[in-house]
Amino acid sequence: TPEVEGLIGYFANTLVLRGDLSGDPSFRALLARVRETTLGAYDHQELPFEKLVEELNPERSLSHTPLFQVAFVLQNLGAASAGDADEAPRLGGAVMEPVGRERATAKFDITLTLMQHGGRTVGHLEYAADLWDRATMERLLGHFGVLLDSALAEPETAISDLPLLTDEERAELEARARPAASFPVGTTLHARFAAQAARTPDAVAVTFEGESVTYAELDARANRLAHHLVVLGAAPGDLVGLCVERSLETVVGIVAILKAGVAYLPLDPAYPDERIAHMLEDSGARIVLTTAELAPRVSGDGTRAVPLDAERDEIGARPSTAPVVAVDPEALAYVIYTSGSTGRPKGVQVTHANVVRLFAATDAWFGFGADDVWTLFHSYAFDFSVWELWGALLYGGRLVVVPFYVSRNPEAFHALLERERVTVLSQTPSAFRQLIRVDGEAARGGRMADLALRCVVFGGEALDPASLREWVERRGDERPLLVNMYGITETTVHVTFRVIRRADVLAGSASPIGIPIPDLAVQVLDRRGRMVPVGVVGEMHVGGAGVARGYLNRPELTVDRFVPDPYGGEGARLYRSGDLARWLPDGGLEFFGRADDQVKVRGFRIELGEVESALRLHSSIRDTLVVVREDVPGDKRLVAYLVGRDGPPDSEALRTSLRQTLPEYMVPAAFVVLDALPLT
């Protein structure tokens, strides 16, 4: 009408469409759903978009549009719109304009515009440069093209089965799926230590609270104890337990057990009696090295406790030369028990070769040597201790055994680092944050501590680079070198390597974990076991020479977690880590947490299901849920939400009960009583 024709304004209305991919439909079925959704939306196209936003009242932000942030535009335009289509790259039968044309603003996060012209389709992609970079968008277009091609070729295929990877990207990821190098192992840990002791007999090997032993003395003491174990019946294939407070005897005991041709089973005295009893029964260990005070806790049916202090004279009378016991590098070196989701801890079997190759593969990065001073800061039941112990002893360095009380006192530990001239420090990020605080307080008090550190190795939990800002601003990023090493017990301590620089700290990014150790390979896979593209989060699978033998006496769990490696040759396996990560364009990895309920608190690996199982055994508990809270940045705590059977349960009674079955680090810091657990 003349009245309408005289109006001036923008009369297009936005229809927001929600795609329905439930049930994993085929591409053809998805098209039918989209058609139905679109026709239904047209029936209500007169409803203004602004009115819809007003009624739904979503949480608003000036950084993006409400209800939707991605737009797909299909237009049928004239010849002038085609532009230089003949010179543009193709995308699934379409021709795409090169990405990255500068515009003043991007209306949406991503807008893909396709224009039909002359029997062909041309288009361009517009994106918000604050969110994306050109390389990411180019990869997105490549994946979209592969998706369209495969969907048109096989329209009955389920959407989830359609490929995304371009041929070039697939070849690159398959190359990463194979280790870059190999380091053949022809010796054992104790043989390498003995060779080092022969080269530097008078060098100090271990220091503990003012007492020191040389390499020759440590070798002789370990030999005598090894002979004692052989006399007691220790034979290749056995496990021998070690339950002592952290001291010189810890180191002597580990070396001696290996020299006797058997593997060690660490039993931390901090563990509750029930947990120690389970580990002894499950492992079948018949001998436990301990002290007279701790002996009653590890004695039982078929298990002999050997009190090192009470039998000191008898052990001291044994030969100081090494027992003649043939040990293959593929023999077990230790079994470390980790938390289990079903309530049962599981023992990880690690060989001599697994550990020896770790140091060969990382030597070019660190250059460890006789001048290095290490700390044995962590429990010998935590695999970080393997790195600390053998990193010193295999290279002729000095190992400072940190007393337990010092490890829990940041001020005392900081003083120890300065006094002992420690050069190589291994820390969980949460522990190092306490050192940063102490170091800062000293500096603000007018005294910069004279630390000899040349490298700090982080592991055990995710590292937030921003948490290192105060340290880097005070001490820089060159000396000590700050190294983030993601690792898993099942793949022998460390998997990746990444030097943290000032730029990482200032960027405040997620946790960059770097590149795999040369004789390991990482595959990032989706739930169906397929490689995901660069930038897409998936589950890390680790293959190569560090992959452990499996779980002790748990064949079903071993088969479930240690899966065939399609790129590793006959018999090769991948460990399904349960950790989420993505590949970065530079070939490094970025860590994104867990795919399941496992958590890390102060470096300790905890299956929340194990804590919940222990709580449900208590007669006062009807239901429970355990979560990790981080109300104060950097301070993670376990919190248990409880539903009582007959009134609120007693928190102290629960703590007492849990300490009988769980180690202290698995006992929740707080209990919250609810009438019922909230359900969705």
Side-chain angles (χ1 to χ4, degrees):
T1 65
E3 291 82 1
V4 173
E5 290 175 354
L7 294 176
I8 298 175
Y10 184 67
F11 291 96
N13 187 32
T14 300
L15 293 179
V16 182
L17 307 178
R18 172 175 289 166
D20 178 11
L21 280 79
S22 62
D24 196 13
S26 67
F27 180 64
R28 191 184 300 278
L30 178 62
L31 287 180
R33 292 182 185 182
V34 171
R35 181 178 186 274
E36 182 179 350
T37 299
T38 304
L39 292 177
Y42 289 160
D43 289 341
H44 305 281
Q45 59 184 313
E46 73 282 355
L47 179 69
F49 174 70
E50 292 75 13
K51 180 64 175 175
L52 182 66
V53 173
E54 180 182 332
E55 289 295 323
L56 293 178
N57 192 28
E59 184 176 341
R60 300 301 299 270
S61 170
L62 296 178
S63 64
H64 60 74
T65 59
L67 301 188
F68 75 100
Q69 291 81 45
V70 176
F72 173 70
V73 181
L74 179 62
Q75 297 179 346
N76 187 355
L77 301 177
S81 67
D84 300 323
D86 290 338
E87 298 180 3
R90 290 189 171 273
L91 170 66
V95 178
M96 298 302 297
E97 175 183 303
V99 186
R101 175 178 294 178
E102 292 289 338
R103 302 182 188 278
T105 60
K107 186 173 183 181
F108 306 111
D109 293 355
I110 300 176
T111 303
L112 175 61
T113 302
L114 297 181
M115 295 160 284
Q116 297 174 333
H117 170 68
R120 304 196 317 155
T121 302
V122 297
H124 67 266
L125 186 73
E126 180 179 283
Y127 61 90
D130 286 342
L131 299 178
W132 319 103
D133 58 28
R134 181 186 178 104
T136 300
M137 293 295 97
E138 288 177 337
R139 284 197 305 274
L140 178 67
L141 289 181
H143 298 155
F144 189 45
V146 171
L147 185 66
L148 290 181
D149 283 335
S150 55
L152 292 173
E154 300 181 61
E156 301 301 333
T157 299
I159 293 293
S160 64
D161 286 333
L162 294 174
L164 287 176
L165 294 174
T166 64
D167 291 341
E168 180 182 13
E169 192 171 20
R170 180 176 298 279
E172 180 182 349
L173 292 175
E174 288 180 351
R176 295 180 189 176
R178 301 177 179 89
S182 64
F183 301 88
V185 176
T187 187
T188 60
L189 286 165
H190 57 281
R192 271 200 57 175
F193 164 74
Q196 181 63 50
R199 286 193 297 271
T200 57
D202 298 325
V204 175
V206 185
T207 300
F208 175 70
E209 292 201 310
E211 181 183 359
S212 296
V213 295
T214 66
Y215 272 83
E217 291 167 343
L218 176 58
D219 190 48
R221 287 179 60 173
N223 286 338
R224 294 188 184 100
L225 183 53
H227 277 287
H228 194 62
L229 288 172
V230 172
V231 170
L232 293 176
D238 287 351
L239 276 172
V240 169
L242 180 65
C243 185
V244 295
E245 299 292 350
R246 197 181 310 170
S247 62
L248 287 176
E249 298 305 325
T250 306
V251 181
V252 174
I254 290 175
V255 177
I257 291 171
L258 299 183
K259 281 175 171 283
V262 295
Y264 72 93
L265 172 69
L267 302 166
D268 194 321
Y271 288 172
D273 291 347
E274 187 172 322
R275 192 177 189 85
I276 290 176
H278 166 77
M279 293 165 65
L280 288 172
E281 180 183 3
D282 186 66
S283 67
R286 298 178 296 109
I287 301 172
V288 179
L289 299 180
T290 185
T291 61
E293 180 183 359
L294 296 171
R297 299 183 59 195
V298 296
S299 302
D301 294 338
T303 302
R304 172 171 178 174
V306 180
L308 299 176
D309 45 359
E311 298 186 16
R312 181 178 292 110
D313 292 342
E314 188 177 354
I315 295 170
R318 304 293 184 191
S320 60
T321 56
V324 180
V325 182
V327 182
D328 189 272
E330 295 300 328
L332 282 185
Y334 59 84
V335 172
I336 284 181
Y337 275 77
T338 65
S339 181
S341 58
T342 62
R344 283 182 61 198
K346 53 190 183 294
V348 182
Q349 305 177 89
V350 180
T351 68
H352 286 263
N354 288 146
V355 181
V356 173
R357 45 68 37 192
L358 170 65
F359 292 98
T362 56
D363 187 63
W365 288 328
F366 291 104
F368 298 135
D371 293 333
D372 280 318
V373 179
W374 295 65
T375 55
L376 182 59
F377 176 86
H378 299 93
S379 165
Y380 58 97
F382 180 25
D383 71 338
F384 223 163
S385 67
V386 175
W387 171 256
E388 295 174 304
L389 173 69
W390 298 108
L393 298 185
L394 296 185
Y395 290 93
R398 181 164 65 93
L399 181 68
V400 179
V401 179
V402 181
F404 178 80
Y405 72 90
V406 174
S407 71
R408 294 299 182 268
N409 185 322
E411 287 78 12
F413 184 53
H414 187 264
L416 179 146
L417 295 177
E418 185 174 16
R419 181 176 66 253
E420 298 289 351
R421 312 304 296 154
V422 172
T423 63
V424 181
L425 176 63
S426 296
Q427 289 278 273
T428 60
S430 53
F432 193 69
R433 279 193 291 270
Q434 300 303 313
L435 274 185
I436 293 176
R437 174 184 61 79
V438 174
D439 193 65
E441 289 173 353
R444 288 188 289 274
R447 193 187 79 84
M448 178 72 82
D450 180 21
L451 299 178
L453 293 173
R454 71 178 186 88
C455 66
V456 178
V457 177
F458 298 107
E461 62 190 16
L463 170 69
D464 175 9
S467 68
L468 304 176
R469 183 163 188 162
E470 180 186 343
W471 178 275
V472 169
E473 288 178 345
R474 183 167 57 250
R475 294 190 177 268
D477 62 0
E478 290 290 341
R479 191 172 182 92
L481 204 63
L482 304 173
V483 181
N484 193 20
M485 297 189 78
Y486 161 83
I488 323 166
T489 304
E490 288 86 345
T491 54
T492 316
V493 191
H494 295 309
V495 174
T496 64
F497 172 93
R498 166 65 188 265
V499 175
I500 301 298
R501 295 297 186 186
R502 185 184 298 270
D504 299 311
V505 173
L506 297 179
S509 61
S511 185
I513 57 176
I515 60 174
I517 289 171
D519 65 345
L520 298 179
V522 171
Q523 298 177 37
V524 182
L525 308 179
D526 63 17
R527 293 180 180 179
R528 295 169 180 249
R530 301 172 305 184
M531 291 182 174
V532 300
V534 171
V536 175
V537 175
E539 181 182 359
M540 277 194 289
H541 290 60
V542 182
V547 177
R549 185 182 291 181
Y551 296 115
L552 183 66
N553 301 326
R554 302 286 291 275
E556 297 88 358
L557 185 59
T558 297
V559 169
D560 178 62
R561 305 302 298 185
F562 294 82
V563 298
D565 180 357
Y567 302 99
E570 185 177 357
R573 299 168 305 146
L574 293 171
Y575 175 68
R576 291 177 50 229
S577 70
D579 288 326
L580 299 176
R582 67 175 179 178
W583 287 109
L584 299 174
D586 63 3
L589 288 155
E590 192 172 43
F591 180 77
F592 275 89
R594 291 290 297 178
D596 55 21
D597 290 333
Q598 187 188 108
V599 297
K600 290 283 188 74
V601 177
R602 298 186 301 280
F604 293 107
R605 180 164 140 182
I606 301 170
E607 295 277 4
L608 297 179
E610 184 175 357
V611 185
E612 291 170 356
S613 295
L615 278 168
R616 290 193 181 99
L617 292 175
H618 199 276
S619 59
S620 67
I621 302 300
R622 174 178 290 128
D623 203 359
T624 183
L625 180 73
V626 179
V627 301
V628 173
R629 292 183 62 96
E630 192 173 358
D631 300 313
V632 177
D635 181 21
K636 292 182 178 180
R637 301 191 305 157
L638 288 182
V639 177
Y641 293 88
L642 311 170
V643 178
R645 290 191 181 276
D646 301 304
D650 186 308
S651 297
E652 284 309 311
L654 284 177
R655 283 196 175 88
T656 301
S657 175
L658 289 177
R659 289 187 177 114
Q660 294 175 12
T661 59
L662 299 177
E664 186 65 33
Y665 64 82
M666 294 179 69
V667 177
F671 297 96
V672 180
V673 179
L674 304 173
D675 293 332
L677 292 181
L679 303 176
T680 57

